[in-house]
Protein backbone atom coordinates (compact mmCIF):
# COMPACT_ATOMS: atom_id res chain seq x y z
CA UNK A 1 0.00 0.00 0.00
CA UNK A 2 1.33 3.39 -0.97
CA UNK A 3 2.16 5.82 1.82
CA UNK A 4 -0.43 8.60 1.91
CA UNK A 5 -0.34 11.77 3.95
CA UNK A 6 -4.13 11.96 3.93
CA UNK A 7 -6.00 9.07 5.59
CA UNK A 8 -8.10 7.32 2.96
CA UNK A 9 -11.63 6.05 3.58
CA UNK A 10 -13.88 3.90 1.41
CA UNK A 11 -17.59 4.35 2.14
CA UNK A 12 -19.85 1.54 0.93
CA UNK A 13 -23.33 3.05 1.20
CA UNK A 14 -26.33 2.97 -1.15
CA UNK A 15 -27.85 6.21 0.20
CA UNK A 16 -26.23 8.71 -2.18
CA UNK A 17 -27.38 11.72 -0.18
CA UNK A 18 -25.94 10.38 3.07
CA UNK A 19 -22.73 9.37 1.33
CA UNK A 20 -22.28 12.84 -0.11
CA UNK A 21 -22.92 14.51 3.25
CA UNK A 22 -20.46 12.22 5.05
CA UNK A 23 -17.85 12.60 2.30
CA UNK A 24 -18.00 16.38 2.46
CA UNK A 25 -17.82 16.39 6.26
CA UNK A 26 -14.86 14.02 6.39
CA UNK A 27 -13.07 15.89 3.61
CA UNK A 28 -13.29 19.05 5.72
CA UNK A 29 -11.69 17.06 8.56
CA UNK A 30 -8.70 16.01 6.46
CA UNK A 31 -9.79 12.66 5.01
CA UNK A 32 -9.86 11.44 1.44
CA UNK A 33 -13.13 9.61 0.73
CA UNK A 34 -14.13 7.23 -2.05
CA UNK A 35 -17.71 6.03 -2.42
CA UNK A 36 -19.25 2.81 -3.67
CA UNK A 37 -23.03 2.39 -3.95
CA UNK A 38 -23.16 -1.39 -3.44
CA UNK A 39 -21.15 -4.27 -2.06
CA UNK A 40 -19.67 -5.58 -5.30
CA UNK A 41 -18.47 -2.11 -6.33
CA UNK A 42 -17.02 -1.60 -2.86
CA UNK A 43 -15.05 -4.83 -2.96
CA UNK A 44 -13.72 -3.93 -6.41
CA UNK A 45 -12.62 -0.46 -5.25
CA UNK A 46 -11.02 -1.93 -2.13
CA UNK A 47 -8.72 -4.08 -4.23
CA UNK A 48 -7.80 -1.21 -6.58
CA UNK A 49 -7.08 1.34 -3.85
CA UNK A 50 -6.43 -0.03 -0.34
CA UNK A 51 -7.95 2.46 2.15
CA UNK A 52 -7.09 3.01 5.78
CA UNK A 53 -10.69 2.32 6.82
CA UNK A 54 -13.96 1.11 5.32
CA UNK A 55 -17.31 2.57 6.40
CA UNK A 56 -19.70 -0.26 5.60
CA UNK A 57 -23.50 -0.02 5.58
CA UNK A 58 -25.31 -3.15 6.72
CA UNK A 59 -28.19 -2.81 4.23
CA UNK A 60 -26.97 -2.81 0.62
CA UNK A 61 -28.93 -3.49 -2.58
CA UNK A 62 -26.89 -6.46 -3.84
CA UNK A 63 -25.10 -8.25 -0.97
CA UNK A 64 -25.53 -7.22 2.64
CA UNK A 65 -22.81 -5.59 4.69
CA UNK A 66 -22.22 -8.69 6.78
CA UNK A 67 -21.30 -10.68 3.68
CA UNK A 68 -19.11 -7.82 2.43
CA UNK A 69 -17.27 -7.84 5.77
CA UNK A 70 -16.80 -11.62 5.57
CA UNK A 71 -15.33 -11.27 2.08
CA UNK A 72 -12.99 -8.48 3.18
CA UNK A 73 -11.64 -10.65 6.00
CA UNK A 74 -11.13 -13.49 3.52
CA UNK A 75 -8.98 -11.37 1.18
CA UNK A 76 -5.22 -11.96 1.06
CA UNK A 77 -2.52 -9.98 2.88
CA UNK A 78 -3.05 -6.36 3.87
CA UNK A 79 -6.53 -6.23 2.34
CA UNK A 80 -7.91 -8.49 5.08
CA UNK A 81 -6.45 -6.21 7.78
CA UNK A 82 -8.28 -3.07 6.66
CA UNK A 83 -10.26 -1.53 9.53
CA UNK A 84 -14.05 -1.79 9.13
CA UNK A 85 -16.60 0.48 10.80
CA UNK A 86 -20.10 -0.89 10.25
CA UNK A 87 -23.28 1.18 10.07
CA UNK A 88 -26.18 -0.73 11.65
CA UNK A 89 -29.89 -0.29 12.26
CA UNK A 90 -30.64 1.66 15.42
CA UNK A 91 -31.76 -0.44 18.34
CA UNK A 92 -30.78 -3.81 16.88
CA UNK A 93 -27.97 -5.21 19.06
CA UNK A 94 -27.92 -8.51 17.16
CA UNK A 95 -26.71 -6.75 14.02
CA UNK A 96 -23.89 -5.22 16.05
CA UNK A 97 -22.96 -8.52 17.68
CA UNK A 98 -22.92 -10.38 14.37
CA UNK A 99 -20.89 -7.58 12.76
CA UNK A 100 -18.27 -7.77 15.49
CA UNK A 101 -18.23 -11.55 15.34
CA UNK A 102 -17.38 -11.61 11.64
CA UNK A 103 -14.61 -9.03 11.92
CA UNK A 104 -15.88 -5.45 12.10
CA UNK A 105 -13.66 -3.22 14.28
CA UNK A 106 -16.47 -0.94 15.44
CA UNK A 107 -20.10 -0.12 14.71
CA UNK A 108 -22.34 2.94 14.65
CA UNK A 109 -26.16 2.81 14.66
CA UNK A 110 -28.16 4.96 12.24
CA UNK A 111 -29.10 7.74 12.39
CA UNK A 112 -25.83 9.15 13.69
CA UNK A 113 -24.17 12.48 14.30
CA UNK A 114 -21.27 13.21 11.92
CA UNK A 115 -19.10 14.21 14.89
CA UNK A 116 -19.61 10.79 16.48
CA UNK A 117 -18.67 9.08 13.22
CA UNK A 118 -15.53 11.21 13.03
CA UNK A 119 -14.63 10.36 16.65
CA UNK A 120 -15.00 6.64 16.00
CA UNK A 121 -12.93 6.81 12.81
CA UNK A 122 -10.14 8.63 14.60
CA UNK A 123 -10.24 6.13 17.49
CA UNK A 124 -9.90 3.14 15.15
CA UNK A 125 -7.07 4.75 13.17
CA UNK A 126 -5.34 5.89 16.37
CA UNK A 127 -5.33 2.34 17.71
CA UNK A 128 -3.58 1.17 14.59
CA UNK A 129 -1.13 4.07 14.63
CA UNK A 130 -0.34 3.59 18.30
CA UNK A 131 0.57 -0.04 17.75
CA UNK A 132 2.71 0.79 14.75
CA UNK A 133 4.61 3.39 16.79
CA UNK A 134 5.69 0.74 19.31
CA UNK A 135 8.47 -0.57 17.06
CA UNK A 136 11.07 0.47 19.62
CA UNK A 137 9.38 -1.65 22.29
CA UNK A 138 9.76 -5.41 22.64
CA UNK A 139 8.37 -6.62 19.35
CA UNK A 140 7.60 -10.23 20.28
CA UNK A 141 5.86 -11.36 23.48
CA UNK A 142 5.58 -15.06 24.33
CA UNK A 143 3.37 -16.92 26.77
CA UNK A 144 4.04 -20.62 26.35
CA UNK A 145 3.03 -21.53 22.80
CA UNK A 146 1.31 -18.16 22.31
CA UNK A 147 3.45 -15.61 20.45
CA UNK A 148 2.42 -11.99 19.79
CA UNK A 149 4.48 -10.02 17.26
CA UNK A 150 3.77 -6.30 17.62
CA UNK A 151 5.55 -5.18 14.46
CA UNK A 152 4.06 -7.82 12.18
CA UNK A 153 0.72 -7.54 14.04
CA UNK A 154 0.42 -11.30 14.06
CA UNK A 155 -0.44 -13.88 16.69
CA UNK A 156 0.62 -17.51 16.47
CA UNK A 157 -0.25 -20.48 18.66
CA UNK A 158 2.15 -23.38 18.38
CA UNK A 159 3.42 -21.87 15.15
CA UNK A 160 -0.06 -21.63 13.57
CA UNK A 161 -1.34 -18.16 12.64
CA UNK A 162 -4.37 -17.01 14.66
CA UNK A 163 -7.15 -15.22 12.80
CA UNK A 164 -7.79 -11.89 14.57
CA UNK A 165 -9.07 -8.52 13.41
CA UNK A 166 -7.00 -5.39 13.99
CA UNK A 167 -9.14 -4.44 17.01
CA UNK A 168 -8.96 -7.94 18.47
CA UNK A 169 -5.18 -7.90 18.09
CA UNK A 170 -5.04 -4.60 20.03
CA UNK A 171 -7.30 -6.03 22.74
CA UNK A 172 -5.10 -9.10 23.10
CA UNK A 173 -1.96 -6.97 23.34
CA UNK A 174 -3.61 -4.78 25.99
CA UNK A 175 -4.60 -7.86 28.01
CA UNK A 176 -1.16 -9.50 27.63
CA UNK A 177 0.58 -6.31 28.79
CA UNK A 178 -1.51 -6.49 31.97
CA UNK A 179 -1.21 -10.25 32.50
CA UNK A 180 -2.41 -11.32 35.92
CA UNK A 181 -4.53 -8.19 36.47
CA UNK A 182 -8.31 -8.39 36.53
CA UNK A 183 -9.71 -5.77 34.15
CA UNK A 184 -13.25 -4.47 33.81
CA UNK A 185 -14.73 -4.05 30.35
CA UNK A 186 -14.33 -0.27 30.66
CA UNK A 187 -10.65 -0.66 31.57
CA UNK A 188 -10.10 -2.94 28.58
CA UNK A 189 -11.70 -0.41 26.21
CA UNK A 190 -9.70 2.42 27.78
CA UNK A 191 -6.50 0.40 27.39
CA UNK A 192 -6.82 0.48 23.61
CA UNK A 193 -7.96 4.11 23.69
CA UNK A 194 -11.01 3.20 21.64
CA UNK A 195 -13.76 3.52 24.21
CA UNK A 196 -17.08 3.09 22.47
CA UNK A 197 -19.35 6.07 22.92
CA UNK A 198 -22.28 3.83 23.83
CA UNK A 199 -22.12 1.62 26.90
CA UNK A 200 -22.39 -1.72 25.10
CA UNK A 201 -20.54 -4.27 27.20
CA UNK A 202 -21.53 -7.15 24.92
CA UNK A 203 -19.14 -5.81 22.27
CA UNK A 204 -16.15 -6.68 24.47
CA UNK A 205 -17.70 -10.06 25.26
CA UNK A 206 -18.03 -10.80 21.54
CA UNK A 207 -14.43 -9.82 20.85
CA UNK A 208 -13.17 -11.90 23.78
CA UNK A 209 -15.09 -14.87 22.45
CA UNK A 210 -13.45 -14.46 19.05
CA UNK A 211 -9.99 -14.10 20.62
CA UNK A 212 -10.54 -17.25 22.67
CA UNK A 213 -11.63 -19.14 19.56
CA UNK A 214 -8.38 -18.09 17.89
CA UNK A 215 -5.86 -18.73 20.69
CA UNK A 216 -7.34 -21.29 23.09
CA UNK A 217 -7.11 -25.06 22.67
CA UNK A 218 -10.71 -25.26 23.88
CA UNK A 219 -12.56 -21.95 23.67
CA UNK A 220 -15.37 -23.28 25.88
CA UNK A 221 -12.86 -24.05 28.63
CA UNK A 222 -10.33 -21.21 28.28
CA UNK A 223 -7.00 -21.31 30.07
CA UNK A 224 -5.47 -18.04 28.85
CA UNK A 225 -8.27 -15.43 28.94
CA UNK A 226 -10.46 -16.05 31.96
CA UNK A 227 -13.80 -14.51 32.89
CA UNK A 228 -14.06 -13.02 36.37
CA UNK A 229 -17.78 -13.13 37.04
CA UNK A 230 -19.28 -9.75 37.80
CA UNK A 231 -16.02 -7.92 37.04
CA UNK A 232 -14.45 -8.58 33.66
CA UNK A 233 -11.48 -10.58 32.35
CA UNK A 234 -7.93 -11.55 33.26
CA UNK A 235 -5.09 -12.74 31.03
CA UNK A 236 -3.49 -15.68 32.83
CA UNK A 237 0.30 -15.53 33.04
CA UNK A 238 0.60 -19.29 33.38
CA UNK A 239 -1.57 -21.47 31.21
CA UNK A 240 -0.68 -24.84 32.71
Amino acid sequence: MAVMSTPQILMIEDDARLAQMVSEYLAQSGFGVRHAADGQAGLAQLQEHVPDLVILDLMLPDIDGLEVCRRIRALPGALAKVSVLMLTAKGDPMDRIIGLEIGADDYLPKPFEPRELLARIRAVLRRRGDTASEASAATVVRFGTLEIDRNARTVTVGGALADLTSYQFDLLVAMAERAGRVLTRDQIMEAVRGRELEAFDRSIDVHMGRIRAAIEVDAKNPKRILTVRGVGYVFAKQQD
Side-chain angles (χ1 to χ4, degrees), residues 199-219:
F200 188 46
D201 286 352
R202 281 295 301 278
S203 65
I204 287 295
D205 296 338
V206 168
H207 283 304
M208 289 300 168
R210 289 297 301 274
I211 294 170
R212 282 171 169 163
I215 71 170
E216 300 276 7
V217 174
D218 181 359

Side-chain angles (χ1 to χ4, degrees), residues 18 91-92 179:
L18 175 62
D92 191 346

Side-chain angles (χ1 to χ4, degrees), residues 68-200:
V68 173
C69 189
R70 287 190 188 98
R71 295 188 188 184
I72 290 174
R73 293 305 178 218
L75 291 171
L79 291 171
K81 300 296 184 180
V82 170
S83 297
V84 176
L85 192 159
M86 185 169 286
L87 302 179
T88 67
K90 184 176 182 180
D92 191 346
M94 279 308 301
D95 284 346
R96 306 176 196 178
I97 292 170
I98 293 171
L100 292 169
E101 285 180 336
I102 63 175
D105 294 279
D106 200 357
Y107 66 87
L108 183 62
K110 288 183 175 181
F112 56 84
E113 289 290 333
R115 288 196 304 173
E116 182 177 358
L117 174 63
L118 178 61
R120 288 179 181 270
I121 290 170
R122 285 174 170 165
V124 171
L125 295 180
R126 184 173 60 243
R127 287 196 296 267
R128 184 173 66 178
D130 284 349
T131 304
S133 69
E134 293 173 348
S136 60
T139 59
V140 178
V141 180
R142 295 182 179 86
F143 294 87
T145 61
L146 175 66
E147 183 175 292
I148 304 171
D149 189 325
R150 296 172 183 271
N151 282 359
R153 291 183 65 78
T154 59
V155 176
T156 57
V157 182
L161 190 65
D163 183 17
L164 296 173
T165 68
S166 176
Y167 187 38
Q168 289 158 10
F169 176 85
D170 292 338
L171 286 172
L172 179 59
V173 169
M175 293 286 290
E177 288 176 342
R178 298 160 179 80
R181 289 174 51 189
V182 177
L183 301 173
T184 66
R185 293 170 177 81
D186 285 344
Q187 288 173 327
I188 294 169
M189 287 190 285
E190 285 288 350
V192 295
R193 292 208 286 168
R195 188 189 188 104
E196 296 179 17
L197 302 184
E198 290 186 35
F200 188 46

Side-chain angles (χ1 to χ4, degrees), residues 11-19 35-39 57-62 110:
M11 185 171 190
I12 307 177
E13 167 64 64
D14 64 327
D15 186 333
R17 185 175 180 179
L18 175 62
H35 172 236
D38 58 54
D57 187 26
L58 186 66
M59 302 298 293
L60 295 169
D62 53 351
K110 288 183 175 181

Side-chain angles (χ1 to χ4, degrees), residues 1-17:
M1 181 171 59
V3 177
M4 300 179 182
S5 58
T6 301
Q8 300 297 304
I9 291 175
L10 171 61
M11 185 171 190
I12 307 177
E13 167 64 64
D14 64 327
D15 186 333
R17 185 175 180 179

